[in-house]
């Protein structure tokens, strides 16, 4: 395969890689960073992405294929701006692209687009998923073929503004000694266009079985969920945001609760650590991004990957970039 820890492509800036194996080939669904000179801020205004390019690779070649524009925000009726980190799922002969964006009121929602091919192009639904909110959708198909979508991101992703159950533009994070804001999960309906249930909290516990606190910034959830199954255990991985770690927790079912176990990835060059994990031909890999190509400019990132190794007890060996 392509050389580890090397940017997969350099002709465009890519980030937030959601990687899947379809037809014995790895497909990467990243966001597409646009170069500009605007300011960085806590609302994420620097991330002005407008479209998606799907990348693919396999184990027999060092060639990375950019399949071109798969979806642009101008083709999505409900979107106003900022099509951020996407993910994809395969169900009954169709490929579904889940993506977040701001609606016409500036509120983040999650949309669905469909294709007959993993690389697209994708045709979007005219409206977002009813009841969806925030950012960073991650799809997970369990052994019984049911598909779950995890989502949520603080600050620019607006997750803390839903603590009362509905959108509060003045919503804030809890006090540092209170339980942290939880990411969300919902089972998808059979047609893959709506939630089959009201989104639930994904509770992350400490070693004593207590929910992680908002002030525990080395471990509490911030954004970038990714779920996978290894053996009979479910791994829920995410970014701590402010402290720049990619970390993981383990549970016994896709709803959790999940118990925090440790770090997957130490901080990279750049602010964000949105990532994904997959198994391919008997090995596990971590896909992530940093800002190597732009010398540290946060909104000009590049996707990389590295082999992920497990200990005999199922814990993950921490990677130093």
């Amino acid at each position: 395969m392509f050389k580890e820890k090397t940017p997969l492509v350099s002709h465009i800036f890519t980030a937030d890689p959601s990687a899947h194996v379809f037809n014995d080939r790895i497909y990467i669904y990243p966001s597409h960073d646009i170069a500009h000179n605007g300011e960085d801020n806590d609302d994420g205004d620097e991330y002005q992405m407008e479209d998606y390019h799907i990348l693919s690779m396999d184990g027999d070649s060092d060639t990375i294929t950019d399949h071109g524009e798969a979806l642009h925000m101008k083709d999505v009726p409900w979107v106003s701006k900022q099509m951020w980190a996407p993910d994809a799922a395969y169900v009954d002969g169709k490929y579904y692209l889940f993506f977040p964006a701001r609606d016409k009121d500036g509120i983040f929602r999650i949309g669905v687009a469909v294709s007959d091919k993993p690389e697209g192009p994708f045709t979007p639904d005219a409206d977002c998923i009813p009841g969806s909110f925030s950012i960073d959708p991650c799809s997970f198909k369990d052994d019984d073929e049911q598909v779950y979508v995890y989502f949520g991101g603080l600050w620019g992703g607006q997750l803390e503004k839903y603590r009362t159950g509905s959108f509060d533009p003045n919503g804030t994070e809890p006090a540092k000694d209170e339980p942290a804001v939880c990411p969300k999960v919902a089972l998808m309906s059979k047609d893959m266009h709506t939630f089959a249930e009201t989104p639930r909290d994904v509770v992350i516990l400490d070693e004593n079985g207590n929910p992680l606190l908002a002030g525990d910034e080395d471990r509490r959830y911030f954004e970038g969920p990714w779920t996978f199954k290894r053996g009979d255990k479910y791994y829920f991985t995410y970014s701590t945001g402010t402290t720049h770690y990619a970390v993981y927790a383990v549970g016994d079912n896709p709803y959790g609760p999940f118990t925090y176990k440790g770090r997957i990835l130490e901080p990279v060059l750049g602010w964000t650590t949105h990532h994904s994990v997959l198994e391919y031909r008997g090995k596990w890999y971590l896909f992530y991004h940093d800002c190597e190509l732009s010398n540290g400019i946060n909104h000009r990132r590049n996707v990389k990957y590295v082999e992920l190794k497990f200990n005999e007890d199922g814990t993950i060996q921490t990677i130093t970039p």
Side-chain angles (χ1 to χ4, degrees), residues 187-204:
L187 178 69
M188 292 301 296
S189 61
K190 295 296 184 182
D191 69 6
M192 295 294 289
H193 292 275
T194 59
F195 293 149
E197 61 184 356
T198 301
R200 311 184 189 192
D201 284 348
V202 178
V203 178
I204 305 170

Side-chain angles (χ1 to χ4, degrees), residues 40-235:
D40 289 9
N41 58 44
D42 290 346
D43 287 331
D45 290 338
E46 64 270 29
Y47 301 113
Q48 297 183 6
M49 301 88 103
E50 297 180 349
D51 66 354
Y52 299 116
H53 282 236
I54 312 307
L55 310 176
S56 69
M57 58 192 291
D58 65 31
D60 301 318
S61 170
D62 60 2
T63 299
I64 307 297
T65 301
D66 176 356
H67 295 277
E69 184 180 282
L71 181 66
H72 194 282
M73 72 178 193
K74 63 179 172 55
D75 299 316
V76 189
W78 61 270
V79 169
S80 65
K81 62 179 180 178
Q82 291 182 302
M83 290 197 352
W84 284 6
D87 193 18
Y90 174 74
V91 177
D92 295 334
K94 298 287 186 181
Y95 297 88
Y96 296 86
L97 185 73
F98 301 101
F99 61 94
R102 290 187 188 268
D103 66 13
K104 303 302 184 183
D105 296 320
I107 298 174
F108 269 106
R109 306 292 185 185
I110 296 172
V112 182
V114 186
S115 177
D116 293 324
K117 299 182 293 185
E119 68 272 20
F122 288 86
T123 300
D125 289 358
D127 205 349
C128 60
I129 297 174
S132 67
F133 55 93
S134 198
I135 61 169
D136 293 350
C138 156
S139 68
F140 168 70
K141 182 191 284 190
D142 206 349
D143 298 335
D144 60 4
E145 301 295 307
Q146 293 200 104
V147 176
Y148 302 81
V149 169
Y150 301 79
F151 61 92
L154 297 175
W155 296 8
Q158 305 174 335
L159 181 61
E160 72 276 12
K161 299 184 185 303
Y162 288 87
R163 289 176 59 203
T164 62
S166 59
F167 182 77
D168 176 2
N170 299 312
T172 60
E173 292 181 73
K176 292 186 181 295
D177 61 352
E178 295 178 353
V181 175
C182 291
K184 305 296 181 180
V185 61
L187 178 69
M188 292 301 296
S189 61
K190 295 296 184 182
D191 69 6
M192 295 294 289
H193 292 275
T194 59
F195 293 149
E197 61 184 356
T198 301
R200 311 184 189 192
D201 284 348
V202 178
V203 178
I204 305 170
L205 307 174
D206 65 15
E207 63 278 9
N208 298 314
N210 300 312
L212 295 180
L213 301 180
D216 188 355
E217 295 187 32
D218 282 350
R219 300 191 297 176
R220 68 88 174 85
Y221 179 89
F222 188 93
E223 63 183 3
W226 185 264
T227 300
F228 66 94
K229 189 176 184 181
R230 184 174 182 269
D232 61 353
K233 295 295 184 181
Y234 295 83
Y235 288 69

Side-chain angles (χ1 to χ4, degrees), residues 233-304:
K233 295 295 184 181
Y234 295 83
Y235 288 69
F236 181 75
T237 76
Y238 57 95
S239 169
T240 62
T242 51
T243 48
H244 318 300
Y245 301 119
V247 301
Y248 73 105
V250 177
D252 294 321
N253 73 76
Y255 288 117
F258 297 92
T259 301
Y260 178 88
K261 292 296 183 181
R263 297 175 187 168
I264 299 174
L265 181 69
E266 298 286 353
V268 300
L269 177 64
W271 204 90
T272 59
T273 52
H274 196 124
H275 61 277
S276 59
V277 175
L278 62 70
E279 184 181 16
Y280 181 64
R281 298 185 180 180
K283 292 185 177 182
W284 290 86
Y285 296 95
L286 173 74
F287 284 77
Y288 66 104
H289 64 238
D290 64 19
C291 299
E292 176 187 344
L293 291 180
S294 65
N295 295 315
I297 299 175
N298 281 328
H299 60 272
R300 303 182 190 181
R301 298 163 291 179
N302 48 263
V303 168
K304 300 181 174 182

